[in-house]
Amino acid sequence: MPSIDLSGKVAVVTGSGRGLGLAYAHALAAHGAAVVVNDVDEAVAEQAVKSLAEAGGTAVAEVVPVGTSEAAQRLVDRAVQEYGRLDILVTNAGILRDKVLWKMTDDDFDAVVTTHLRGTFTCARAAAVRMREQGEGGSLILVGSPAGQRGNFGQTNYAAAKAGIAAMARTWSMELGRANITVNAIVPVAATAMTETIPAFAPYIEAMKNGEPLPDFLRKGEGFGTPEDCAALVPFLASEAARGITGQAIGIGGDKVALWSHPQEIRAAYADGGWTPETLADAFPASVGAELQSVGIPAPKLPEA
């Protein structure tokens, strides 16, 4: 079994004051990486640094909301000032402003897209510049979501941003390949403040908080677990063991890890000279339209009472 050793490596993890981001920071630090913790709340960020230090890790905090180029550069500069380099970036920071389309405001849309999509872009760009200057490769680990893979009711802004993040991972894996910088999107599913509002999950998350284990139908069947269950993927993708893995979307949660497919053509039909609306109406149902795709995140399959 290969050893995952990140000694001497330096990581920036955005949105790492709590939840999944904090779990990623702990996993990286446990495998030897120095970590720049990022959050918008100074007290939360400092508490995260303290928890990492108490666990034997090395970390500092940089308090700034991601989204702007200036914020991204601050994070990269902090890593270089404190530890002399940057090897790993995890773009985890995010917010929610859920509303159905006809009720979503410009501000609701812009806030989520700025943090998730623009924040991923600006941070990745600043990190890529630094990593290319160092000339020793690196790892960009972009945090996606099932909502970005399949859509989700009430999450126009979030789903669009997360779909864009997966597309950026594919694009950047090509652009940064010669620099030995891997780029992957991860698709975590875990009990967090964002998921505990889902009615089907709520009672099980509450029971977990009281010390009860999550049942197998969630951990295996749904791939749903704790933030710590998702965290193992991050140090793996940042390590030499995953140096040949790039441009992928990889899901993890509970006891499950899975590879998401890229969008691709499923069925095709052809018409000599091209199509008209009438010929499409005639041919579509029995040809291309015979395999229309489902949308949305499937509801958990709860055990029968």
Side-chain angles (χ1 to χ4, degrees):
M1 185 174 295
S3 175
I4 305 300
D5 184 6
L6 301 178
S7 300
K9 303 293 185 182
V10 179
V12 168
V13 184
T14 68
S16 50
R18 53 169 65 93
L20 281 165
L22 181 57
Y24 300 149
H26 269 281
L28 288 165
H31 288 83
V35 180
V36 176
V37 169
N38 162 251
D39 201 273
V40 296
D41 186 317
E42 184 174 3
V44 169
E46 291 298 342
Q47 180 57 42
V49 168
K50 181 181 178 183
S51 72
L52 287 161
E54 290 173 347
T58 300
V60 294
E62 185 66 24
V63 179
V64 64
V66 302
T68 66
S69 298
E70 292 76 16
Q73 196 60 51
R74 277 180 56 179
L75 290 167
V76 172
D77 289 347
R78 187 65 188 279
V80 175
Q81 290 163 6
E82 293 287 340
Y83 304 117
R85 58 186 300 109
L86 176 63
D87 305 281
I88 304 157
L89 171 70
V90 184
T91 58
N92 173 75
I95 60 172
L96 291 178
R97 298 287 187 274
D98 292 354
K99 288 191 179 84
V100 291
L101 172 61
W102 54 95
K103 292 184 179 180
M104 184 169 290
T105 67
D106 290 359
D107 287 344
D108 292 330
F109 185 86
D110 290 345
V112 170
V113 170
T114 295
T115 302
H116 286 276
L117 190 62
R118 185 178 175 85
T120 295
F121 161 66
T122 54
C123 289
R125 180 178 59 186
V129 169
R130 177 64 194 182
M131 291 175 185
R132 291 180 78 248
E133 289 174 351
Q134 290 173 177
E136 300 175 29
S139 301
L140 304 183
I141 300 168
L142 318 181
V143 180
S145 166
Q149 305 296 105
R150 295 187 54 85
N152 196 32
F153 189 96
Q155 291 194 314
T156 293
N157 44 13
Y158 180 75
K162 291 301 190 181
I165 286 169
M168 290 193 297
R170 293 190 286 269
T171 299
W172 296 342
S173 71
M174 294 183 282
E175 295 178 347
L176 295 171
R178 290 184 63 182
N180 198 31
I181 299 170
T182 61
V183 190
N184 292 287
I186 64 174
V187 185
V189 181
T192 67
M194 289 186 180
T195 56
E196 66 184 7
T197 59
I198 300 172
F201 288 152
Y204 298 99
I205 295 174
E206 187 63 30
M208 184 185 72
K209 289 180 179 178
N210 294 327
E212 297 180 28
L214 288 171
D216 273 359
F217 85 88
L218 282 179
R219 290 191 58 84
K220 290 184 170 60
E222 300 297 327
F224 183 86
T226 66
E228 289 71 25
D229 291 323
C230 297
L233 186 55
V234 170
F236 165 64
L237 288 175
S239 74
E240 288 303 311
R243 191 50 43 195
I245 302 170
T246 192
Q248 304 303 303
I250 304 169
I252 190 167
D255 297 330
K256 178 181 178 182
V257 65
L259 184 68
W260 283 86
S261 68
H262 297 324
Q264 58 187 345
E265 294 177 351
I266 297 172
R267 297 174 69 98
Y270 304 90
D272 292 339
W275 292 92
T276 67
E278 291 76 16
T279 56
L280 280 170
D282 180 60
F284 198 89
S287 57
V288 177
E291 200 171 351
L292 296 179
Q293 300 297 286
S294 63
V295 298
I297 301 170
K301 296 179 181 177
L302 302 179
E304 295 182 4

